[in-house]
Amino acid sequence: RVYASRFGTSCIVFKDWDCTLNQTNIEGNNNKYYIIQILKDGSQYYVWNRWGRVGEDGQTKRHGPFDFEAAKKNFEKKFSDKTRNKWANRKNFVTHSKKYTLIKMQAQVKKSPKKKPAPKKKASSKAKSDLHPKLQQLMEYIYFEATGQLQKTLNCSITEDGIETPLGVLSAEQVSIGSDILEDALNKFKAGSSNSVLKELSNQYYTAVPHKFGRVRPPVLNDLTLFTKEFELMELMKDMVQVSDKSKEESGGGSVLASNDVDKQYESLSNKIEYVEPDSDEFNKVKDEICQSQERSHGKQVVEVMNVYSVCRAEERKRFTKRVKNHRMLYHGSRIANWVGLLSRGILLPKVVVSLGVHRTDGGWLGSGIYFGEADTASYYAGKGHKGTSFMLMANVALGKMKDMKKITYGLKEPPKGFDSCHGVKGTQFADDEYCVYKDDRQYMAYLVELKRKGGGYVS
């Protein structure tokens, strides 16, 4: 990306003559980018190149001045040399071995100095809000954790444009491309494909989703732990890009991720969330249900309820099945960074199984479904935030006729015939009771519970 401040305020990136290329080749320890742009300064044009290893400033070179036709010719030749594709045919781009790939970041701002990362929230600069103070604190907490995890993992900044990486602002399309490649790699891994096949898919994935590895050789995706880490990153990226894009579209302004306006953060979730007063009957009812859940499970009270929020996503309530009975309040924990995504989209059937809040690249002990557990179990998988608390959902789950399972059964995409759900029975091959439903309409979130777990024991 080029900013006007480098050449003076009169210099801008000209129209859509702007591309970001990336190439990862694990064999050769290549993890590099190449940027080509046409700059306009009055009646003169320049071609600007920047290249280097991902995460580093790299080198730059400016060609010109030219008239537009000469600049266009220079740009197109460089693009062809680096990709073996024609710029005019870039919509049908084909990746060639040992050549760069065109990555589809969001359109860049054409001028003005580089935006600085969003400043830390200060009470004096915070917009006035009509939300309950506890709800304001919740918004600040979950957005802080989500954007912080993204910055830590992806080497990005949060600006008014959105999630800005060293190679540009993340787009939903590029995240989707990366997710598809990662899923393909996982399927090949599970099918026992050779390391050379996995290495090539790893090259494609890191090319689509630029990672900062420094001078270290990028790792081959051939380990379940690594797949889990990358799927968690992709899920976080997808959620945050969607929330960011939605906020920009609705407000016509900057990304909510860089905003101190808690009302806008709340609105971007499209979820009716209300603070439940601790001296209310509703609060005591939730707290009692959590105590009863722990008694049913292992008989130990390990969950200390700090705050309770009622949650109502209209879409979930509308699609919830009326046909299947046997409704139970069950629990779902998740990493602290995931709550902006979960509250904005709900718990959906995943490509990679999420069991009680943790990705399971083994396919899931009860197959590919949405997993719930008792309160003590779910709280174990609820990772702590910087305040020392964590969150879990209390969900209304339509279990219907349950199939009790005493053995781990991989590969299920639906319950056995005649049943509506599966129950992994505690004390068999299952250490805890696990409940799995296989359709989105069998559950809806009812409460978000902020908690502390007595004695620790969290999974991060």
Side-chain angles (χ1 to χ4, degrees):
R1 182 173 179 180
V2 167
Y3 302 94
S5 58
R6 189 180 294 270
F7 298 117
T9 56
S10 62
C11 196
I12 63 173
V13 179
F14 184 63
K15 295 184 177 179
D16 63 348
W17 293 89
D18 178 2
C19 70
T20 301
L21 312 176
N22 199 44
Q23 179 192 152
T24 299
N25 178 359
I26 295 173
E27 191 71 31
N29 194 18
N30 296 322
N31 186 38
K32 55 188 181 179
Y33 65 89
Y34 206 101
I35 296 172
I36 316 171
Q37 297 171 317
I38 292 182
L39 307 180
K40 186 175 188 296
D41 185 4
S43 61
Q44 295 182 320
Y45 297 84
Y46 299 87
V47 176
W48 171 261
N49 301 148
R50 178 180 161 209
W51 66 96
R53 198 167 180 88
V54 174
E56 298 179 2
D57 289 340
Q59 302 178 63
T60 62
K61 188 170 184 179
R62 183 175 64 160
H63 304 269
F66 303 114
D67 59 27
F68 175 67
E69 287 302 318
K72 174 183 173 184
K73 184 177 180 181
N74 184 291
F75 180 102
E76 290 178 333
K77 183 179 185 305
K78 182 64 71 174
F79 182 81
S80 177
D81 290 345
K82 295 298 179 182
T83 68
R84 205 183 298 167
N85 282 259
K86 292 184 177 180
W87 176 251
N89 197 35
R90 61 190 179 280
K91 289 184 179 180
N92 300 310
F93 190 93
V94 176
T95 299
H96 296 280
S97 177
K98 297 183 180 180
K99 290 290 183 178
Y100 284 87
T101 293
L102 176 65
I103 59 176
K104 300 175 182 178
M105 310 304 273
Q106 287 187 16
Q108 304 293 311
V109 176
K110 299 303 179 185
K111 59 182 177 180
S112 81
K114 183 177 181 179
K115 290 182 176 62
K116 297 179 180 179
K120 292 183 178 179
K121 297 178 177 62
K122 297 181 181 178
S124 60
S125 63
K126 191 169 77 173
K128 185 178 179 181
S129 172
D130 294 325
L131 296 175
H132 190 288
K134 284 287 188 180
L135 199 49
Q136 295 180 46
Q137 292 170 20
L138 175 66
M139 293 301 106
E140 292 174 340
Y141 192 6
I142 63 175
Y143 274 89
F144 177 87
E145 293 292 346
T147 55
Q149 182 62 35
L150 206 54
Q151 289 172 297
K152 176 183 175 182
T153 307
L154 198 61
N155 184 39
C156 65
S157 298
I158 306 300
T159 73
E160 290 183 356
D161 287 338
I163 302 164
E164 190 168 310
T165 75
L167 302 188
V169 178
L170 279 178
S171 70
E173 183 178 4
Q174 196 62 33
V175 172
S176 178
I177 291 170
S179 294
D180 289 344
I181 297 170
L182 188 61
E183 185 182 8
D184 186 24
L186 175 61
N187 290 334
K188 292 289 197 305
F189 171 75
K190 287 158 64 175
S193 294
S194 67
N195 199 60
S196 61
V197 171
L198 295 175
K199 187 180 290 184
E200 178 54 34
L201 286 168
S202 300
N203 287 339
Q204 293 177 26
Y205 172 65
Y206 295 133
T207 296
V209 184
H211 285 52
K212 180 184 177 182
F213 294 113
R215 293 286 163 175
V216 177
R217 189 185 303 274
V220 178
L221 294 168
N222 60 4
D223 175 80
L224 286 176
T225 302
L226 188 54
F227 274 112
T228 298
K229 178 183 175 184
E230 292 303 324
F231 270 108
E232 287 176 346
L233 172 61
M234 294 307 298
E235 180 183 80
L236 181 60
M237 287 167 60
K238 181 179 179 182
D239 287 339
M240 299 304 283
V241 167
Q242 287 178 343
V243 168
S244 176
D245 288 353
K246 179 183 176 184
S247 68
K248 289 194 293 183
E249 182 179 338
E250 291 180 349
S251 69
S255 169
V256 71
L257 303 184
S259 173
N260 288 332
D261 190 330
V262 291
D263 285 31
K264 288 183 180 178
Q265 293 174 342
Y266 174 81
E267 290 166 6
S268 293
L269 300 180
S270 299
N271 196 333
K272 184 180 179 182
I273 306 172
E274 295 181 335
Y275 177 65
V276 180
E277 296 291 346
D279 58 352
S280 66
D281 291 340
E282 186 178 12
F283 183 94
N284 289 326
K285 183 179 178 181
V286 170
K287 190 173 180 180
D288 288 346
E289 171 56 40
I290 291 173
C291 289
Q292 293 171 26
S293 172
Q294 294 174 91
E295 286 299 324
R296 288 193 300 267
S297 183
H298 292 285
K300 293 182 179 180
Q301 298 294 321
V302 298
V303 175
E304 181 182 357
V305 177
M306 307 304 292
N307 291 298
V308 175
Y309 304 86
S310 64
V311 179
C312 181
R313 291 188 70 248
E315 178 185 341
E316 287 184 345
R317 301 296 177 103
K318 184 177 179 181
R319 75 179 180 220
F320 186 67
T321 181
K322 295 180 176 64
R323 179 182 63 81
V324 179
K325 307 302 180 183
N326 186 20
H327 296 182
R328 286 268 300 276
M329 282 296 185
L330 294 170
Y331 303 85
H332 186 95
S334 191
R335 295 189 313 150
I336 192 72
N338 291 346
W339 288 106
V340 171
L342 279 169
L343 291 172
S344 65
R345 58 166 164 77
I347 311 173
L348 303 178
L349 285 167
K351 291 181 178 180
V352 175
V353 174
V354 177
S355 177
L356 302 175
V358 175
H359 285 270
R360 293 243 294 245
T361 46
D362 55 14
W365 286 357
L366 293 172
S368 182
I370 302 175
Y371 285 73
F372 298 92
E374 298 293 359
D376 55 346
T377 307
S379 69
Y380 178 72
Y381 293 102
K384 283 195 297 186
H386 71 281
K387 293 184 177 182
T389 60
S390 56
F391 295 92
M392 68 179 178
L393 284 174
M394 180 188 287
N396 189 9
V397 185
L399 294 170
K401 188 176 181 181
M402 291 188 300
K403 173 65 175 176
D404 288 338
M405 310 286 282
K406 297 182 179 180
K407 293 183 178 180
I408 293 169
T409 307
Y410 296 112
L412 290 176
K413 294 184 178 179
E414 59 185 17
K417 189 174 182 180
F419 294 89
D420 301 299
S421 63
C422 287
H423 169 216
V425 180
K426 177 188 64 179
T428 59
Q429 288 190 352
F430 298 85
D432 305 287
D433 286 306
E434 294 193 23
Y435 303 87
C436 188
V437 294
Y438 300 84
K439 292 184 178 179
D440 291 329
D441 66 358
R442 302 296 166 86
Q443 52 80 34
Y444 66 78
M445 57 179 74
Y447 294 97
L448 177 68
V449 179
E450 185 175 3
L451 62 97
K452 286 186 177 180
R453 184 177 166 89
K454 298 173 186 177
Y458 296 91
V459 170
S460 62

